[in-house]
């Protein structure tokens, strides 16, 4: 036998075996999309579904498109904004609809909200799901920015973590853009 077949190592760190906000958001993501995380590939895969054909025009025959069977998601389990408590949930969701912030069940992409605190109403959770990573991050930042602009004013900015998350997401997008540009230049030289 090889040396690695005879050794067993157990390592434990500061583990908390409990149901966390992130686990809850992951379960909501799995429920809504019908998908599962595939550890070997590192992708969140959704089952193949039959997409509806695109509307036919006079000059083109109807085509069915093959959607990707994986998704990228940004989970934000605790978005804090003190001005959320001033907005009724029905008004909040009308505002989201007006800005086209929502979830498309057929395409299995968009934004899902979780309402966390029924008394203070200053916390929400948000899951953004899209077929590619840059689009997911852009959508997450755009949605946060839109919500922040709608519920804040110059006289009442409110206590929030939206601004920090928006700038961090934009930093990630910039570094991702640099990495994608480097990959494209390396692939074109080969």
């Amino acid at each position: 036998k090889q040396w690695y077949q005879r050794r067993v190592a157990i390592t434990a760190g500061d583990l908390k075996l409990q149901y966390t906000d992130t686990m809850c958001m992951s379960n909501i993501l799995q429920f809504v999309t019908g998908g599962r995380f595939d550890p070997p590939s590192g992708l969140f895969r959704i089952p193949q579904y039959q997409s509806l054909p695109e509307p036919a025009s006079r000059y083109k025959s109807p085509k069915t498109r093959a959607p990707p069977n994986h998704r990228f998601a940004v989970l934000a389990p605790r978005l804090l904004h003190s001005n959320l408590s001033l907005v009724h949930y029905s008004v909040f969701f009308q505002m989201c609809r007006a800005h086209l912030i929502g979830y498309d069940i057929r395409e299995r992409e968009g934004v899902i909200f979780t309402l966390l605190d029924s008394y203070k109403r200053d916390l929400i959770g948000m899951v953004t799901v899209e077929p590619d990573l840059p689009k997911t991050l852009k959508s997450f930042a755009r949605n946060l920015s839109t919500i922040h602009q709608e519920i804040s004013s110059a006289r009442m900015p409110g206590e929030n973590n939206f601004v920090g998350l928006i700038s961090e997401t934009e930093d990630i997008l910039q570094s991702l853009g640099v990495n994608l540009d480097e990959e494209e230049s390396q692939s074109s030289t080969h």
Side-chain angles (χ1 to χ4, degrees):
K1 290 187 170 184
Q2 300 293 330
W3 66 272
Y4 55 84
Q5 292 176 332
R6 289 181 277 160
R7 293 177 64 185
V8 176
I10 298 176
T11 306
D14 185 22
L15 298 175
K16 292 182 182 179
L17 299 176
Q18 63 184 12
Y19 196 69
T20 63
D21 295 336
T22 305
M23 180 59 116
C24 176
M25 299 294 272
S26 298
N27 287 341
I28 289 170
L29 174 65
Q30 289 179 1
F31 174 74
V32 171
T33 61
R36 295 281 178 247
F37 179 69
D38 182 27
S41 68
L43 294 174
F44 184 79
R45 297 202 181 274
I46 61 170
Q48 286 290 357
Y49 63 98
Q50 183 65 33
S51 181
L52 296 175
E54 293 180 7
S57 70
R58 288 186 219 171
Y59 307 107
K60 294 181 183 176
S61 63
K63 297 178 185 177
T64 57
R65 49 193 166 98
N69 70 336
H70 63 274
R71 295 289 184 268
F72 292 89
V74 176
L75 308 175
R78 292 198 171 265
L79 297 173
L80 169 73
H81 203 300
S82 59
N83 290 355
L84 277 170
S85 63
L86 305 174
V87 179
H88 197 272
Y89 287 141
S90 63
V91 175
F92 174 77
F93 288 119
Q94 283 178 348
M95 181 252 328
C96 289
R97 272 189 231 110
H99 289 282
L100 303 176
I101 299 173
Y103 186 76
D104 184 351
I105 295 172
R106 284 190 188 151
E107 297 296 325
R108 298 180 192 179
E109 57 190 53
V111 179
I112 305 157
F113 292 102
T114 59
L115 309 174
L116 299 175
D117 191 354
S118 61
Y119 292 111
K120 289 174 106 179
R121 292 190 351 219
D122 59 353
L123 284 173
I124 60 171
M126 186 168 81
V127 179
T128 306
V129 186
E130 296 290 343
D132 68 13
L133 184 58
K135 187 176 178 183
T136 306
L137 291 168
K138 287 176 188 173
S139 177
F140 179 75
R142 181 186 62 83
N143 294 337
L144 274 181
S145 177
T146 301
I147 293 168
H148 179 64
Q149 288 172 6
E150 285 291 323
I151 62 176
S152 298
S153 67
R155 292 184 305 160
M156 262 180 65
E159 178 187 342
N160 67 76
N161 62 359
F162 283 41
V163 177
L165 282 171
I166 293 168
S167 66
E168 288 176 14
T169 305
E170 289 171 350
D171 291 344
I172 292 170
L173 274 168
Q174 285 178 347
S175 65
L176 183 63
V178 169
N179 290 341
L180 290 175
D181 291 341
E182 288 175 3
E183 286 179 12
E184 287 176 3
S185 65
Q186 287 177 358
S187 64
S188 65
T189 58
H190 291 300

